[in-house]
Amino acid sequence: AHTSQAVAGEFDAVMPGLIVLLDDEIQQMTAASQDANTPADVKSMLTSAISADNQIEALVNQIWPPAPAEG
């Protein structure tokens, strides 16, 4: 079994760039899905992947950046 352990601060370092990466991936998949040379079965998979990325992006936008601590 493989166990991964998060390094302190790693999450904070990765999160700001996540939406940029997702947007880039969505843009590339959208272009590929609109290409006439892309087979129908691949277009279907791309549509599913785009939908999944949009769901991830919506979730991330709800939780990042975190609300300031009340004090």
Side-chain angles (χ1 to χ4, degrees), residues 14-67:
V14 172
M15 286 302 290
L18 181 60
I19 295 300
V20 174
L21 294 173
L22 284 171
D23 286 342
D24 185 50
E25 184 173 273
I26 291 168
Q27 183 179 23
Q28 290 177 14
M29 289 189 296
T30 299
S33 71
Q34 294 172 348
D35 186 335
N37 295 320
T38 302
D41 60 334
V42 174
K43 286 184 181 188
S44 176
M45 287 185 276
L46 288 168
T47 300
S48 295
I50 290 167
S51 177
D53 276 0
N54 283 324
Q55 290 176 358
I56 293 166
E57 199 169 274
L59 177 63
V60 169
N61 284 332
Q62 289 177 12
I63 62 172
W64 193 264

Side-chain angles (χ1 to χ4, degrees), residues 5-13:
Q5 299 208 356
V7 176
E10 186 175 291
F11 187 77
D12 292 348

